[in-house]
Amino acid sequence: MLSYITMNPSGWQQNTYAASCSVADRVLFQCLKDNPNLTEVYLCFDSDTAGQSAAKRISDKLFTQGYKSEILVPTKKDWNEDLIMQKEGEQAWTEQSYWLLWQQLCSPLSA
């Protein structure tokens, strides 16, 4: 969420944000219940299958409850990777991706 806001700072103070930290919708619908003045929802999940399946499922649920929604999809896997690419360029993103992959491959296996 913070990466998305960093990339789209215009008017962020006038909006309400809720981070689900998963593909569940409980946080979002509690936020809508607590803020009955909200009528539009922008869904910003990861671009992978799980994230986009959740976005579609939640968008359909929002529609049945009378909310307008839009699914926003990051270019890379998630909004943080898009932010890194925006700030440091494709070269830095690629280097960071290789570093993270190397760390995963070389980390000790846990029992």
Short mmCIF file of all heavy atoms in Angstrom, two decimals, residues 33-84:
data_model
loop_
_atom_site.label_atom_id
_atom_site.label_comp_id
_atom_site.label_asym_id
_atom_site.label_seq_id
_atom_site.Cartn_x
_atom_site.Cartn_y
_atom_site.Cartn_z
N LYS A 33 -17.70 -0.68 6.08
CA LYS A 33 -18.73 -0.61 7.12
C LYS A 33 -18.48 0.59 8.04
O LYS A 33 -19.41 1.30 8.42
CB LYS A 33 -18.74 -1.90 7.94
CG LYS A 33 -19.79 -1.95 9.02
CD LYS A 33 -19.73 -3.28 9.76
CE LYS A 33 -20.72 -3.30 10.90
NZ LYS A 33 -20.64 -4.53 11.69
N ASP A 34 -17.23 0.82 8.38
CA ASP A 34 -16.86 1.93 9.28
C ASP A 34 -16.91 3.29 8.59
O ASP A 34 -16.91 4.32 9.27
CB ASP A 34 -15.45 1.72 9.83
CG ASP A 34 -15.33 0.51 10.74
OD1 ASP A 34 -16.39 -0.01 11.19
OD2 ASP A 34 -14.20 0.06 10.99
N ASN A 35 -16.92 3.31 7.27
CA ASN A 35 -16.92 4.56 6.49
C ASN A 35 -18.03 4.50 5.45
O ASN A 35 -17.76 4.35 4.25
CB ASN A 35 -15.57 4.75 5.81
CG ASN A 35 -14.45 4.91 6.80
OD1 ASN A 35 -14.24 5.98 7.35
ND2 ASN A 35 -13.73 3.82 7.06
N PRO A 36 -19.29 4.66 5.87
CA PRO A 36 -20.41 4.51 4.94
C PRO A 36 -20.45 5.54 3.81
O PRO A 36 -21.19 5.36 2.84
CB PRO A 36 -21.64 4.62 5.84
CG PRO A 36 -21.17 5.32 7.06
CD PRO A 36 -19.72 4.98 7.21
N ASN A 37 -19.63 6.58 3.90
CA ASN A 37 -19.58 7.60 2.84
C ASN A 37 -18.77 7.14 1.62
O ASN A 37 -18.83 7.76 0.57
CB ASN A 37 -18.99 8.90 3.39
CG ASN A 37 -17.59 8.69 3.96
OD1 ASN A 37 -17.34 7.74 4.69
ND2 ASN A 37 -16.68 9.58 3.64
N LEU A 38 -18.03 6.04 1.73
CA LEU A 38 -17.21 5.55 0.63
C LEU A 38 -18.08 4.87 -0.42
O LEU A 38 -18.96 4.09 -0.09
CB LEU A 38 -16.15 4.57 1.13
CG LEU A 38 -15.16 5.14 2.15
CD1 LEU A 38 -14.19 4.05 2.62
CD2 LEU A 38 -14.38 6.30 1.56
N THR A 39 -17.81 5.18 -1.69
CA THR A 39 -18.60 4.61 -2.78
C THR A 39 -17.73 3.95 -3.86
O THR A 39 -18.24 3.21 -4.68
CB THR A 39 -19.46 5.69 -3.46
OG1 THR A 39 -18.60 6.72 -3.96
CG2 THR A 39 -20.48 6.28 -2.48
N GLU A 40 -16.43 4.26 -3.85
CA GLU A 40 -15.51 3.72 -4.86
C GLU A 40 -14.36 3.00 -4.19
O GLU A 40 -13.87 3.45 -3.16
CB GLU A 40 -14.93 4.84 -5.73
CG GLU A 40 -15.93 5.54 -6.60
CD GLU A 40 -15.27 6.61 -7.44
OE1 GLU A 40 -14.26 6.31 -8.09
OE2 GLU A 40 -15.76 7.75 -7.40
N VAL A 41 -13.93 1.91 -4.81
CA VAL A 41 -12.82 1.12 -4.26
C VAL A 41 -11.85 0.80 -5.40
O VAL A 41 -12.26 0.36 -6.47
CB VAL A 41 -13.34 -0.20 -3.64
CG1 VAL A 41 -12.18 -1.07 -3.18
CG2 VAL A 41 -14.30 0.09 -2.49
N TYR A 42 -10.57 1.03 -5.15
CA TYR A 42 -9.52 0.65 -6.08
C TYR A 42 -8.77 -0.52 -5.46
O TYR A 42 -8.23 -0.41 -4.35
CB TYR A 42 -8.57 1.82 -6.34
CG TYR A 42 -9.26 2.94 -7.07
CD1 TYR A 42 -9.90 3.96 -6.37
CD2 TYR A 42 -9.29 2.95 -8.46
CE1 TYR A 42 -10.57 4.97 -7.05
CE2 TYR A 42 -9.95 3.97 -9.14
CZ TYR A 42 -10.58 4.97 -8.43
OH TYR A 42 -11.24 5.97 -9.09
N LEU A 43 -8.74 -1.64 -6.15
CA LEU A 43 -8.10 -2.85 -5.65
C LEU A 43 -6.69 -2.94 -6.22
O LEU A 43 -6.51 -2.93 -7.43
CB LEU A 43 -8.92 -4.08 -6.05
CG LEU A 43 -10.35 -4.07 -5.50
CD1 LEU A 43 -11.20 -5.13 -6.19
CD2 LEU A 43 -10.34 -4.27 -3.99
N CYS A 44 -5.70 -3.01 -5.34
CA CYS A 44 -4.29 -2.99 -5.75
C CYS A 44 -3.56 -4.23 -5.24
O CYS A 44 -2.71 -4.15 -4.37
CB CYS A 44 -3.61 -1.74 -5.20
SG CYS A 44 -4.33 -0.19 -5.74
N PHE A 45 -3.92 -5.37 -5.76
CA PHE A 45 -3.28 -6.62 -5.36
C PHE A 45 -2.08 -6.91 -6.24
O PHE A 45 -1.85 -6.26 -7.26
CB PHE A 45 -4.29 -7.77 -5.45
CG PHE A 45 -5.31 -7.75 -4.34
CD1 PHE A 45 -6.52 -7.09 -4.51
CD2 PHE A 45 -5.06 -8.40 -3.14
CE1 PHE A 45 -7.46 -7.06 -3.49
CE2 PHE A 45 -6.00 -8.38 -2.12
CZ PHE A 45 -7.20 -7.71 -2.29
N ASP A 46 -1.30 -7.94 -5.89
CA ASP A 46 -0.17 -8.37 -6.70
C ASP A 46 -0.65 -8.80 -8.08
O ASP A 46 -1.82 -9.14 -8.27
CB ASP A 46 0.56 -9.55 -6.05
CG ASP A 46 1.32 -9.14 -4.78
OD1 ASP A 46 1.34 -7.94 -4.44
OD2 ASP A 46 1.90 -10.04 -4.14
N SER A 47 0.29 -8.84 -9.03
CA SER A 47 -0.07 -9.20 -10.40
C SER A 47 -0.10 -10.71 -10.62
O SER A 47 -0.47 -11.16 -11.70
CB SER A 47 0.90 -8.56 -11.39
OG SER A 47 2.19 -9.09 -11.22
N ASP A 48 0.24 -11.51 -9.61
CA ASP A 48 0.22 -12.96 -9.79
C ASP A 48 -1.21 -13.50 -9.81
O ASP A 48 -2.18 -12.76 -9.60
CB ASP A 48 1.07 -13.66 -8.72
CG ASP A 48 0.57 -13.41 -7.30
OD1 ASP A 48 -0.52 -12.83 -7.11
OD2 ASP A 48 1.28 -13.80 -6.36
N THR A 49 -1.34 -14.78 -10.07
CA THR A 49 -2.66 -15.40 -10.20
C THR A 49 -3.49 -15.24 -8.94
O THR A 49 -4.67 -14.89 -9.00
CB THR A 49 -2.52 -16.89 -10.57
OG1 THR A 49 -1.78 -16.99 -11.79
CG2 THR A 49 -3.87 -17.55 -10.75
N ALA A 50 -2.89 -15.48 -7.78
CA ALA A 50 -3.62 -15.36 -6.52
C ALA A 50 -4.13 -13.94 -6.30
O ALA A 50 -5.29 -13.73 -5.92
CB ALA A 50 -2.73 -15.79 -5.35
N GLY A 51 -3.27 -12.96 -6.54
CA GLY A 51 -3.66 -11.57 -6.35
C GLY A 51 -4.77 -11.14 -7.29
O GLY A 51 -5.73 -10.48 -6.89
N GLN A 52 -4.67 -11.51 -8.55
CA GLN A 52 -5.67 -11.10 -9.52
C GLN A 52 -6.98 -11.88 -9.38
O GLN A 52 -8.06 -11.33 -9.63
CB GLN A 52 -5.11 -11.19 -10.93
CG GLN A 52 -4.04 -10.13 -11.19
CD GLN A 52 -4.52 -8.73 -10.83
OE1 GLN A 52 -5.44 -8.21 -11.44
NE2 GLN A 52 -3.92 -8.11 -9.80
N SER A 53 -6.91 -13.12 -8.94
CA SER A 53 -8.13 -13.88 -8.65
C SER A 53 -8.88 -13.24 -7.49
O SER A 53 -10.11 -13.11 -7.52
CB SER A 53 -7.80 -15.34 -8.33
OG SER A 53 -7.28 -15.99 -9.45
N ALA A 54 -8.14 -12.85 -6.47
CA ALA A 54 -8.75 -12.19 -5.31
C ALA A 54 -9.36 -10.85 -5.73
O ALA A 54 -10.47 -10.51 -5.31
CB ALA A 54 -7.72 -11.98 -4.21
N ALA A 55 -8.65 -10.09 -6.55
CA ALA A 55 -9.16 -8.80 -7.00
C ALA A 55 -10.48 -8.97 -7.75
O ALA A 55 -11.44 -8.23 -7.52
CB ALA A 55 -8.13 -8.09 -7.88
N LYS A 56 -10.55 -9.96 -8.62
CA LYS A 56 -11.78 -10.22 -9.39
C LYS A 56 -12.92 -10.64 -8.46
O LYS A 56 -14.04 -10.15 -8.56
CB LYS A 56 -11.51 -11.29 -10.44
CG LYS A 56 -12.73 -11.76 -11.19
CD LYS A 56 -13.25 -10.71 -12.15
CE LYS A 56 -14.31 -11.28 -13.06
NZ LYS A 56 -15.62 -10.71 -12.85
N ARG A 57 -12.61 -11.55 -7.53
CA ARG A 57 -13.63 -12.03 -6.58
C ARG A 57 -14.17 -10.87 -5.73
O ARG A 57 -15.38 -10.71 -5.58
CB ARG A 57 -13.01 -13.10 -5.68
CG ARG A 57 -13.92 -13.60 -4.57
CD ARG A 57 -13.26 -14.66 -3.70
NE ARG A 57 -11.92 -14.33 -3.23
CZ ARG A 57 -11.65 -13.53 -2.20
NH1 ARG A 57 -12.63 -12.94 -1.53
NH2 ARG A 57 -10.40 -13.30 -1.82
N ILE A 58 -13.27 -10.04 -5.24
CA ILE A 58 -13.68 -8.92 -4.39
C ILE A 58 -14.41 -7.87 -5.21
O ILE A 58 -15.41 -7.30 -4.75
CB ILE A 58 -12.46 -8.35 -3.65
CG1 ILE A 58 -11.92 -9.40 -2.66
CG2 ILE A 58 -12.82 -7.06 -2.93
CD1 ILE A 58 -10.57 -9.06 -2.07
N SER A 59 -13.96 -7.62 -6.42
CA SER A 59 -14.64 -6.67 -7.30
C SER A 59 -16.08 -7.11 -7.56
O SER A 59 -17.01 -6.28 -7.52
CB SER A 59 -13.88 -6.54 -8.62
OG SER A 59 -14.52 -5.66 -9.50
N ASP A 60 -16.28 -8.39 -7.82
CA ASP A 60 -17.64 -8.91 -8.03
C ASP A 60 -18.50 -8.73 -6.78
O ASP A 60 -19.66 -8.34 -6.86
CB ASP A 60 -17.59 -10.39 -8.42
CG ASP A 60 -16.99 -10.62 -9.79
OD1 ASP A 60 -16.87 -9.65 -10.58
OD2 ASP A 60 -16.64 -11.79 -10.09
N LYS A 61 -17.90 -9.00 -5.62
CA LYS A 61 -18.63 -8.84 -4.35
C LYS A 61 -18.98 -7.37 -4.11
O LYS A 61 -20.10 -7.05 -3.67
CB LYS A 61 -17.78 -9.39 -3.21
CG LYS A 61 -18.48 -9.53 -1.89
CD LYS A 61 -17.59 -10.26 -0.89
CE LYS A 61 -18.22 -10.40 0.46
NZ LYS A 61 -17.35 -11.11 1.42
N LEU A 62 -18.06 -6.48 -4.42
CA LEU A 62 -18.33 -5.05 -4.27
C LEU A 62 -19.48 -4.62 -5.17
O LEU A 62 -20.36 -3.85 -4.75
CB LEU A 62 -17.08 -4.23 -4.60
CG LEU A 62 -15.95 -4.27 -3.57
CD1 LEU A 62 -14.65 -3.78 -4.18
CD2 LEU A 62 -16.32 -3.46 -2.35
N PHE A 63 -19.49 -5.11 -6.40
CA PHE A 63 -20.55 -4.78 -7.35
C PHE A 63 -21.92 -5.18 -6.82
O PHE A 63 -22.87 -4.41 -6.89
CB PHE A 63 -20.27 -5.45 -8.70
CG PHE A 63 -21.35 -5.20 -9.72
CD1 PHE A 63 -21.43 -3.98 -10.38
CD2 PHE A 63 -22.30 -6.17 -10.00
CE1 PHE A 63 -22.43 -3.74 -11.32
CE2 PHE A 63 -23.30 -5.94 -10.93
CZ PHE A 63 -23.37 -4.72 -11.59
N THR A 64 -22.00 -6.38 -6.26
CA THR A 64 -23.30 -6.85 -5.73
C THR A 64 -23.76 -6.01 -4.54
O THR A 64 -24.94 -5.99 -4.25
CB THR A 64 -23.26 -8.34 -5.33
OG1 THR A 64 -22.35 -8.51 -4.24
CG2 THR A 64 -22.89 -9.22 -6.50
N GLN A 65 -22.81 -5.33 -3.89
CA GLN A 65 -23.17 -4.49 -2.74
C GLN A 65 -23.30 -3.02 -3.12
O GLN A 65 -23.44 -2.15 -2.25
CB GLN A 65 -22.15 -4.69 -1.62
CG GLN A 65 -22.20 -6.11 -1.06
CD GLN A 65 -21.32 -6.28 0.16
OE1 GLN A 65 -20.94 -5.31 0.83
NE2 GLN A 65 -21.00 -7.52 0.48
N GLY A 66 -23.22 -2.73 -4.41
CA GLY A 66 -23.47 -1.37 -4.88
C GLY A 66 -22.26 -0.45 -4.92
O GLY A 66 -22.42 0.76 -5.09
N TYR A 67 -21.06 -0.99 -4.81
CA TYR A 67 -19.86 -0.17 -4.86
C TYR A 67 -19.27 -0.19 -6.27
O TYR A 67 -19.31 -1.19 -6.97
CB TYR A 67 -18.78 -0.69 -3.90
CG TYR A 67 -19.14 -0.53 -2.46
CD1 TYR A 67 -19.68 -1.60 -1.75
CD2 TYR A 67 -18.94 0.68 -1.80
CE1 TYR A 67 -20.02 -1.46 -0.41
CE2 TYR A 67 -19.27 0.82 -0.47
CZ TYR A 67 -19.81 -0.26 0.23
OH TYR A 67 -20.15 -0.12 1.54
N LYS A 68 -18.68 0.94 -6.67
CA LYS A 68 -17.93 1.02 -7.91
C LYS A 68 -16.50 0.60 -7.57
O LYS A 68 -15.95 1.04 -6.56
CB LYS A 68 -17.95 2.46 -8.44
CG LYS A 68 -17.15 2.64 -9.69
CD LYS A 68 -17.16 4.10 -10.13
CE LYS A 68 -16.22 4.26 -11.32
NZ LYS A 68 -15.95 5.66 -11.60
N SER A 69 -15.91 -0.27 -8.39
CA SER A 69 -14.54 -0.69 -8.12
C SER A 69 -13.73 -0.74 -9.40
O SER A 69 -14.28 -0.86 -10.50
CB SER A 69 -14.51 -2.06 -7.43
OG SER A 69 -14.92 -3.07 -8.31
N GLU A 70 -12.42 -0.62 -9.22
CA GLU A 70 -11.50 -0.72 -10.34
C GLU A 70 -10.29 -1.53 -9.88
O GLU A 70 -9.81 -1.34 -8.75
CB GLU A 70 -11.05 0.67 -10.79
CG GLU A 70 -10.18 0.65 -12.02
CD GLU A 70 -9.85 2.04 -12.52
OE1 GLU A 70 -10.58 3.00 -12.21
OE2 GLU A 70 -8.85 2.17 -13.24
N ILE A 71 -9.84 -2.44 -10.70
CA ILE A 71 -8.67 -3.26 -10.39
C ILE A 71 -7.45 -2.60 -11.03
O ILE A 71 -7.41 -2.40 -12.24
CB ILE A 71 -8.85 -4.70 -10.90
CG1 ILE A 71 -10.04 -5.36 -10.20
CG2 ILE A 71 -7.58 -5.50 -10.68
CD1 ILE A 71 -10.42 -6.72 -10.78
N LEU A 72 -6.47 -2.26 -10.20
CA LEU A 72 -5.21 -1.69 -10.68
C LEU A 72 -4.14 -2.77 -10.57
O LEU A 72 -4.01 -3.41 -9.53
CB LEU A 72 -4.83 -0.47 -9.84
CG LEU A 72 -5.90 0.63 -9.75
CD1 LEU A 72 -5.44 1.75 -8.83
CD2 LEU A 72 -6.24 1.17 -11.12
N VAL A 73 -3.39 -2.98 -11.64
CA VAL A 73 -2.42 -4.08 -11.68
C VAL A 73 -1.01 -3.51 -11.82
O VAL A 73 -0.75 -2.73 -12.74
CB VAL A 73 -2.72 -5.04 -12.86
CG1 VAL A 73 -1.77 -6.22 -12.85
CG2 VAL A 73 -4.17 -5.50 -12.82
N PRO A 74 -0.09 -3.92 -10.93
CA PRO A 74 1.28 -3.45 -11.08
C PRO A 74 1.94 -4.06 -12.31
O PRO A 74 1.55 -5.13 -12.78
CB PRO A 74 1.96 -3.94 -9.80
CG PRO A 74 1.16 -5.11 -9.36
CD PRO A 74 -0.26 -4.82 -9.80
N THR A 75 2.95 -3.38 -12.84
CA THR A 75 3.69 -3.87 -14.00
C THR A 75 4.52 -5.10 -13.64
O THR A 75 4.55 -6.08 -14.38
CB THR A 75 4.62 -2.77 -14.55
OG1 THR A 75 3.83 -1.63 -14.85
CG2 THR A 75 5.35 -3.23 -15.79
N LYS A 76 5.18 -5.03 -12.51
CA LYS A 76 5.99 -6.16 -12.02
C LYS A 76 5.11 -7.02 -11.12
O LYS A 76 3.89 -6.95 -11.19
CB LYS A 76 7.22 -5.64 -11.26
CG LYS A 76 8.16 -4.82 -12.12
CD LYS A 76 8.82 -5.68 -13.17
CE LYS A 76 9.82 -4.89 -13.98
NZ LYS A 76 10.36 -5.65 -15.09
N LYS A 77 5.71 -7.79 -10.22
CA LYS A 77 4.92 -8.68 -9.36
C LYS A 77 4.04 -7.91 -8.38
O LYS A 77 2.90 -8.27 -8.13
CB LYS A 77 5.83 -9.63 -8.58
CG LYS A 77 5.03 -10.61 -7.70
CD LYS A 77 5.86 -11.20 -6.59
CE LYS A 77 5.04 -12.07 -5.69
NZ LYS A 77 4.03 -11.35 -4.91
N ASP A 78 4.58 -6.84 -7.80
CA ASP A 78 3.81 -6.07 -6.83
C ASP A 78 4.18 -4.60 -6.93
O ASP A 78 5.04 -4.21 -7.69
CB ASP A 78 3.99 -6.62 -5.41
CG ASP A 78 5.43 -6.61 -4.94
OD1 ASP A 78 6.21 -5.71 -5.34
OD2 ASP A 78 5.81 -7.50 -4.16
N TRP A 79 3.50 -3.78 -6.14
CA TRP A 79 3.70 -2.33 -6.21
C TRP A 79 5.07 -1.91 -5.71
O TRP A 79 5.62 -0.92 -6.18
CB TRP A 79 2.58 -1.61 -5.45
CG TRP A 79 1.27 -1.85 -6.13
CD1 TRP A 79 0.30 -2.76 -5.76
CD2 TRP A 79 0.81 -1.25 -7.33
NE1 TRP A 79 -0.72 -2.73 -6.68
CE2 TRP A 79 -0.45 -1.82 -7.64
CE3 TRP A 79 1.33 -0.28 -8.18
CZ2 TRP A 79 -1.20 -1.44 -8.76
CZ3 TRP A 79 0.59 0.10 -9.30
CH2 TRP A 79 -0.66 -0.48 -9.58
N ASN A 80 5.66 -2.66 -4.79
CA ASN A 80 6.99 -2.33 -4.32
C ASN A 80 8.01 -2.50 -5.44
O ASN A 80 8.91 -1.68 -5.61
CB ASN A 80 7.38 -3.18 -3.11
CG ASN A 80 8.66 -2.71 -2.48
OD1 ASN A 80 8.80 -1.54 -2.14
ND2 ASN A 80 9.60 -3.61 -2.34
N GLU A 81 7.89 -3.58 -6.22
CA GLU A 81 8.80 -3.77 -7.34
C GLU A 81 8.61 -2.67 -8.39
O GLU A 81 9.59 -2.21 -8.98
CB GLU A 81 8.60 -5.16 -7.96
CG GLU A 81 9.10 -6.28 -7.06
CD GLU A 81 8.97 -7.66 -7.68
OE1 GLU A 81 8.55 -7.77 -8.85
OE2 GLU A 81 9.30 -8.62 -6.99
N ASP A 82 7.38 -2.24 -8.60
CA ASP A 82 7.15 -1.12 -9.53
C ASP A 82 7.80 0.16 -9.02
O ASP A 82 8.38 0.92 -9.79
CB ASP A 82 5.64 -0.88 -9.71
CG ASP A 82 5.01 -1.85 -10.70
OD1 ASP A 82 5.66 -2.82 -11.11
OD2 ASP A 82 3.84 -1.62 -11.05
N LEU A 83 7.73 0.39 -7.71
CA LEU A 83 8.33 1.58 -7.12
C LEU A 83 9.85 1.54 -7.27
O LEU A 83 10.47 2.55 -7.64
CB LEU A 83 7.96 1.70 -5.64
CG LEU A 83 8.57 2.87 -4.87
CD1 LEU A 83 8.14 4.20 -5.46
CD2 LEU A 83 8.19 2.78 -3.40
N ILE A 84 10.46 0.39 -7.03
CA ILE A 84 11.91 0.25 -7.19
C ILE A 84 12.29 0.56 -8.64
O ILE A 84 13.24 1.30 -8.90
CB ILE A 84 12.37 -1.16 -6.79
CG1 ILE A 84 12.23 -1.35 -5.28
CG2 ILE A 84 13.82 -1.41 -7.24
CD1 ILE A 84 12.39 -2.78 -4.83
#
